[in-house]
Amino acid sequence: MNPPSPTNETGHRPASAEQEIDWRDYRDHLATAHQDGSRKWVYAKKPCGTWTARRKIFGWLLIAIMFAGPFIKIGGNPLLMINIIERKFSILGQIFWPEDSIIFAVTMLLYFAGIMVFTTVFGRLWCGWACPQTVMMEMVFRPIEYLIEGDATEQRATDKLPFRRRRLVRKLLKHAIFLGLSFIVGNTLLSYVIGWEKLAHIVTDDPRNHLVGLAFMVAFTMLFYGIFARFREQACTFICPYGRFMSALIDENTMVVAYDHKRGEGRAPLKRDQPADQRKATGLGDCVDCHQCVAVCPTGIDIRNGTQMECVNCTACIDACDTVMDKVGRPKGLIRYASLDGIQKGLPLRFTARMKLYSVIICGLVTLLAYLVFTRAEVETIFLRAPGSLFQKMPDGNFNNLYTVKVINKCNHDLPIEFRLENISGKLAVMGSRQLVAPKEKLAEATVMIELAPEQLKGSGTPLVIGVYSNGNLLETIKTVFVGPRPDQIIP
Ligand code: SF4
Ligand code: SF4
């Protein structure tokens, strides 16, 4: 036992003083830590039941999308590509450039607002059902572990044995498969960054030409191997920022996986031949203290202690408890999706007006996001006056200005570009080129000369509106200024 912590004159422990840990209180320590601070390995029992079956279907659907994602193209562009190296991004087949930073900023704002609203209503639904870490761990890596090393009890017993040949063979086999799968997962992630074509090129070309790419492949593989083979639930508890936000975002009306303490307490093992009403009369609840909900929990917590930050809402404890309730002849749902307020008031989970309102907000945000993505201009034109140039008077008395123009083509096909003066009549010519073409997903640069007659000048700065056309279609209009002499400086 640690010596008592020092107290100040008010009898309270100063915040900075080391506090004594009450190991019986779940709030005082991590469920996955021993008293000496070492890791308590979680041997999660294999779950089975209705929710597990549903999650398997949904999880495998997501896995299929995740692995197919880099190969799916929309309009010739990847479904999703986040190429930080070349600063090129593709979302739903729409190519984004650093110049689209406003859309990116708005997207991020909408994304975070959406997460907050979603979490406030549906809690950690994302963590349990759609987070790639949970899905890959529970649908792929852990089932392989069960297949090779057996269920939790067998794993626990085997790990206590010395490294005999049988154990060694199992461990080597498991880790070899984990490493292979981590290589596939890591490379899939990498192909979301650089595209699968480039990844295939790195793999098939002379390795000496792609040392950086190969280093990333090894790093990603080892990262995922570390997460799935060793780090596991610790990633959710210590690293994932979403998990950390939870306590700030959920409230008593949020949907969570919850233990119905009103129905379950006081908990006690079931006595043989004791009818339910007799058990109830002695002040006991439906929880038979079988610990099955704890045994299946991949984060090692006891949900009966209430909502905890480690809980990823994986539903394994719901299935475990439902199986027990079936066996003891009590209604299912002692652990279920519910709000804390609903449990307190004994009400079933309902799609409340608040949930409806928040869902409408989420749909609105998604629609706005889709609108921003799909209505984005195909080109972005930057029209700047040539540095160091003012205006020139031409032999015919007209004035000209030189501009440097950059046209960013965000489509996956070349665009012939044409400029037209929209608000004034004058001459506009692209220098040195009969036809300006912006290559697909690239930048075209040109010098443009605009010529205006003296009577069209409106002081020293004449506003211009220039239309950017391709094949006769107006893509965008831009505004700039034509610099000329002041009216009193114009000599006829
Ligand atoms: S599985 Fe159900 S009955 Fe068993 S300990 Fe957990 S809550 Fe109680
Ligand atoms: S408490 Fe239940 S829902 Fe939460 S992580 Fe553990 S098993 Fe999953």
Side-chain angles (χ1 to χ4, degrees):
M1 180 71 92
N2 296 333
S5 311
T7 56
N8 58 23
E9 59 278 4
T10 62
H12 292 110
R13 281 183 296 193
S16 59
E18 189 188 328
Q19 294 191 0
E20 202 176 324
I21 296 169
D22 180 357
W23 286 94
R24 290 160 306 174
D25 187 344
Y26 74 95
R27 293 179 197 86
D28 249 16
H29 63 93
L30 278 172
T32 49
H34 286 294
Q35 293 201 16
D36 62 2
S38 61
R39 168 106 175 259
K40 191 192 276 181
W41 187 257
V42 176
Y43 294 95
K45 194 177 163 190
K46 192 175 176 179
C48 66
T50 316
W51 287 103
T52 305
R54 286 174 188 160
R55 280 182 67 227
K56 268 186 196 164
I57 295 169
F58 191 68
W60 276 103
L61 185 71
L62 292 183
I63 289 171
I65 293 172
M66 186 179 102
F67 284 106
F71 303 100
I72 298 174
K73 304 242 165 164
I74 300 176
N77 296 323
L79 176 74
L80 178 68
M81 188 177 75
I82 303 163
N83 191 339
I84 300 161
I85 303 151
E86 291 177 14
R87 297 189 298 157
K88 195 169 115 184
F89 310 93
S90 172
I91 300 168
L92 298 173
Q94 300 282 315
I95 296 285
F96 289 83
W97 296 78
E99 288 74 13
D100 290 312
S101 53
I102 291 184
I103 292 185
F104 183 73
V106 174
T107 305
M108 284 295 109
L109 276 176
L110 294 178
Y111 176 70
F112 286 116
I115 282 184
M116 281 186 214
V117 173
F118 182 86
T119 310
T120 308
V121 178
F122 300 105
R124 292 182 81 166
L125 208 59
W126 162 265
C127 300
W129 289 76
C131 168
Q133 136 85 2
T134 312
V135 169
M136 287 304 294
M137 186 69 229
E138 302 307 327
M139 302 301 146
V140 180
F141 285 85
R142 215 185 289 274
I144 290 171
E145 192 168 70
Y146 290 137
L147 204 67
I148 297 171
E149 295 192 316
D151 207 346
T153 320
E154 199 181 338
Q155 285 178 28
R156 198 179 281 113
T158 315
D159 280 358
K160 282 188 186 140
L161 294 173
F163 252 114
R164 294 222 180 88
R165 203 170 139 202
R166 190 156 163 261
R167 185 183 166 202
L168 190 67
V169 169
R170 284 186 180 193
K171 289 277 176 205
L172 281 178
L173 177 64
K174 181 182 93 170
H175 286 285
I177 294 175
F178 276 16
L179 205 53
L181 283 172
S182 302
F183 178 77
I184 295 170
V185 174
N187 280 286
T188 305
L189 185 74
L190 202 53
S191 50
Y192 276 109
V193 177
I194 58 173
W196 73 267
E197 295 93 340
K198 270 195 189 157
L199 184 72
H201 180 64
I202 291 173
V203 173
T204 49
D205 196 24
D206 185 340
R208 286 169 299 182
N209 298 336
H210 303 283
L211 291 179
V212 176
L214 290 169
F216 268 105
M217 282 168 75
V218 173
F220 277 25
T221 303
M222 295 317 291
L223 174 76
F224 287 110
Y225 172 71
I227 288 175
F228 294 121
R230 293 300 305 170
F231 210 47
R232 299 190 168 187
E233 76 288 341
Q234 306 289 308
C236 309
T237 309
F238 294 119
I239 294 181
C240 178
Y242 186 53
R244 303 281 68 72
F245 284 134
M246 267 327 113
S247 46
L249 295 177
I250 66 172
D251 61 19
E252 66 283 359
N253 292 309
T254 303
M255 185 182 85
V256 288
V257 171
Y259 165 69
D260 187 342
H261 61 96
K262 291 220 150 190
R263 189 186 134 191
E265 300 298 305
R267 63 183 84 151
L270 194 69
K271 282 191 191 147
R272 265 179 200 283
D273 306 327
Q274 187 185 36
D277 48 350
Q278 224 180 65
R279 180 181 163 89
K280 202 171 176 185
T282 57
L284 295 178
D286 280 351
C287 176
V288 295
D289 210 12
C290 62
H291 280 260
Q292 287 306 300
C293 50
V294 185
V296 292
C297 179
T299 64
I301 59 167
D302 186 343
I303 190 67
R304 294 174 300 169
N305 290 328
T307 301
Q308 293 148 75
M309 73 164 181
E310 291 97 330
C311 176
V312 290
N313 277 214
C314 73
T315 71
C317 55
I318 300 183
D319 277 339
C321 191
D322 280 351
T323 309
V324 175
M325 289 298 108
D326 261 352
K327 282 185 187 154
V328 300
R330 300 296 300 148
K332 288 179 180 178
L334 179 56
I335 300 174
R336 61 179 184 273
Y337 274 119
S339 70
L340 301 181
D341 193 50
I343 285 188
Q344 205 61 33
K345 292 176 180 159
L347 298 171
L349 187 69
R350 281 175 307 184
F351 200 53
T352 58
R354 176 175 171 269
M355 282 177 159
K356 283 178 198 160
L357 173 69
Y358 281 20
S359 301
V360 168
I361 294 173
I362 293 168
C363 291
L365 290 176
V366 171
T367 312
L368 181 58
L369 210 57
Y371 174 78
L372 281 176
V373 169
F374 288 110
T375 58
R376 193 191 49 131
E378 286 187 322
V379 297
E380 182 163 331
T381 310
I382 302 162
F383 222 94
L384 296 173
R385 286 180 30 74
S389 71
L390 260 179
F391 58 86
Q392 268 193 329
K393 187 170 183 189
M394 304 185 71
D396 60 1
N398 286 349
F399 292 90
N400 75 30
N401 274 195
L402 274 183
Y403 298 84
T404 54
V405 181
K406 288 180 184 174
V407 182
I408 301 159
N409 181 359
K410 300 170 186 174
C411 327
N412 61 355
H413 53 267
D414 295 353
L415 284 176
I417 298 291
E418 191 194 332
F419 302 109
R420 293 181 199 167
L421 287 170
E422 299 285 349
N423 65 330
I424 206 161
S425 60
K427 287 184 197 159
L428 187 154
V430 177
M431 310 292 287
S433 161
R434 277 173 48 220
Q435 174 68 69
L436 176 66
V437 176
K440 65 172 187 174
E441 298 168 18
K442 287 207 167 63
L443 182 88
E445 291 185 79
T447 304
V448 167
M449 190 171 79
I450 296 177
E451 194 181 317
L452 296 183
E455 58 273 19
Q456 288 165 323
L457 299 182
K458 295 182 175 69
S460 54
T462 306
L464 295 181
V465 178
I466 297 164
V468 183
Y469 288 80
S470 182
N471 297 320
N473 298 320
L474 178 66
L475 301 179
E476 68 170 337
T477 50
I478 41 173
K479 288 181 181 165
T480 187
V481 170
F482 186 94
V483 175
R486 289 198 313 268
D488 57 311
Q489 291 175 322
I490 299 176
I491 303 157

